[in-house]
Amino acid sequence: QELYEKGLAKTNQGFGAKLNAFFAKFRTVDEDFFDDLEDLLIESDVGYETAEELTDELRDEAKLQKAKTRDQLKEVIVQKLVELYDQNGNADDEKLNYNPDHKPNIYLFVGVNGAGKTTTIGKLAKRFKDQGKKVILAAADTFRAGAVEQLEEWGRRVDVPVVTGAEKADPASVVYDATKQAIDGQADYLLVDTAGRLQNKKNLMSELEKIQRTIKKLAPEQPTETLLVLDGSTGQNALLQAKDFDKTTKLTGLVLTKLDGSSKGGVVLAIRNEMKLPVKLVGLGEKPEDLADFDAANYAIGLFH
Ligand code: GDP
């Protein structure tokens, strides 16, 4: 988990450093303190509702526990952040769904262009391949020039086959072929890359729906994961994206990328709190090994270091 800490260290320079500076500023814990704390949380992309809820709880907690000193309150904040995750799901929901009896387990990756879908698929393909699993990739982003080649490049790099179609081919037909191949070849995983942008949002959403329907025709219990890939530095817009995609594709979880370069990891809390969606993976760089499982407790505590 050294990698995880390395990546988070940068995130913490944002939120954590701000929080530390904040605590250094206040000598007494009064109403101004809580007002400023709420502002700080909002600025850190935790989200308005989440910030308000957290601050209210801290106010009560401070009264109850008579935790008036800054250090005591810091501890309470960490504790609250962890609780915020726990109350919104069970301990296991951050694990990727996998059923060894299903051949294949299909993971559908959705998200706007540049979020890190292709890169995440490449990294995950390497992880599964290293575990001795049989993996196939499907290049269903036939819209963006270069997207197919980019996935093929990852396929070569981590040595897994990539199913492609002709340029501008119907993405659902690529997914159909890939699903068939994965079933026939008894693959453990089929990872599907999709377009992040089409002529308009409506087209994109109906295409993603069609892809899901196509998968179900051949493999009724799949996809077992529909993961929204989000650039961790997107801020509050990430929450809007999550709501948009969830409407049509019914997401099972999130992948938060670029936490190595981001100063705003706070949006994780907003999404978790408002949508109850678990973060299943985090991207911490561009290399095949720069992928980690999300750990809420580490994350919350890490914010203060
Ligand atoms: P897609 O359009 O969603 O498929 O996004 P890509 O996978 O092509 O990624 C867009 C850019 O972000 C590429 O230059 C990637 O190398 C970069 N990228 C993806 N994930 C990460 C990450 O976790 N950290 C960093 N620093 N860069 C990333």
Side-chain angles (χ1 to χ4, degrees):
Q1 290 298 12
E2 199 184 306
L3 183 72
Y4 193 71
E5 279 156 24
K6 184 191 83 189
L8 286 182
K10 292 203 186 141
T11 309
N12 298 340
Q13 279 167 11
F15 187 54
K18 271 192 244 165
L19 204 68
N20 281 326
F22 172 79
F23 273 104
K25 194 175 87 183
F26 279 89
R27 304 226 156 264
T28 50
V29 178
D30 51 18
E31 221 11 70
D32 284 350
F33 173 92
F34 287 109
D35 284 348
D36 271 32
L37 178 64
E38 191 172 333
D39 288 346
L40 174 83
L41 289 167
I42 292 168
E43 267 172 42
S44 305
D45 284 324
V46 162
Y48 182 75
E49 276 177 45
T50 312
E52 197 178 29
E53 191 182 316
L54 201 63
T55 312
D56 284 349
E57 278 185 39
L58 282 167
R59 239 188 230 105
D60 293 347
E61 198 87 6
K63 270 184 219 141
L64 274 176
Q65 297 194 349
K66 302 203 175 27
K68 299 283 186 191
T69 71
R70 292 174 296 181
D71 278 351
Q72 279 169 321
L73 265 173
K74 242 191 225 183
E75 257 170 55
V76 176
I77 293 179
V78 172
Q79 191 189 317
K80 283 286 159 202
L81 288 168
V82 176
E83 269 173 31
L84 200 58
Y85 279 97
D86 292 348
Q87 84 192 17
N88 283 321
N90 57 55
D92 257 2
D93 71 357
E94 260 123 22
K95 287 212 183 77
L96 288 165
N97 291 315
Y98 174 70
N99 183 339
D101 297 333
H102 290 173
K103 298 212 185 272
N105 287 264
I106 302 181
Y107 290 5
L108 190 63
F109 290 81
V110 302
V112 302
N113 270 354
K117 292 182 294 301
T118 313
T119 308
T120 302
I121 289 171
K123 292 172 183 174
L124 204 54
K126 178 186 156 45
R127 177 196 281 198
F128 293 150
K129 174 102 184 173
D130 288 350
Q131 292 169 355
K133 303 285 195 242
K134 188 169 180 187
V135 186
I136 298 182
L137 310 182
D141 182 359
T142 57
F143 190 77
R144 179 168 72 87
V148 174
E149 290 91 281
Q150 201 189 328
L151 194 69
E152 282 180 314
E153 177 56 37
W154 271 104
R156 275 192 294 276
R157 212 165 154 188
V158 302
D159 192 27
V160 302
V162 183
V163 178
T164 62
E167 207 182 313
K168 309 285 177 212
D170 178 5
S173 80
V174 177
V175 173
Y176 186 88
D177 290 347
T179 306
K180 215 164 168 326
Q181 276 190 42
I183 292 170
D184 292 347
Q186 292 279 287
D188 297 296
Y189 291 99
L190 171 63
L191 310 181
V192 182
D193 199 8
T194 63
R197 216 195 121 75
L198 291 184
Q199 297 83 356
N200 56 54
K201 198 162 87 185
K202 194 161 158 278
N203 281 13
L204 176 61
M205 294 305 167
S206 64
E207 176 181 302
L208 292 173
E209 252 187 324
K210 188 173 164 194
I211 288 174
Q212 281 186 329
R213 265 186 280 119
T214 305
I215 290 172
K216 290 210 181 299
K217 258 185 238 159
L218 292 169
E221 298 183 67
Q222 304 295 326
T224 184
E225 293 280 7
T226 299
L227 298 170
L228 174 65
V229 181
L230 289 169
D231 181 333
S233 62
T234 312
Q236 281 301 293
N237 191 255
L239 180 62
L240 299 177
Q241 285 174 25
K243 285 181 176 168
D244 256 356
F245 277 95
D246 190 50
K247 245 183 260 161
T248 33
T249 55
K250 200 76 201 94
L251 303 170
T252 56
L254 306 171
V255 179
L256 205 70
T257 65
K258 308 187 195 182
L259 282 193
D260 51 314
S262 157
S263 62
K264 301 193 177 187
V267 73
V268 169
L269 274 169
I271 294 175
R272 179 75 168 157
N273 198 30
E274 289 187 32
M275 299 183 67
K276 317 289 177 228
L277 276 175
V279 183
K280 300 214 169 184
L281 294 165
V282 294
L284 300 165
E286 296 182 85
K287 294 193 297 297
E289 60 275 16
D290 293 338
L291 185 76
D293 293 328
F294 183 74
D295 184 296
N298 272 354
Y299 185 76
I301 293 161
L303 289 173
F304 292 88
H305 291 159

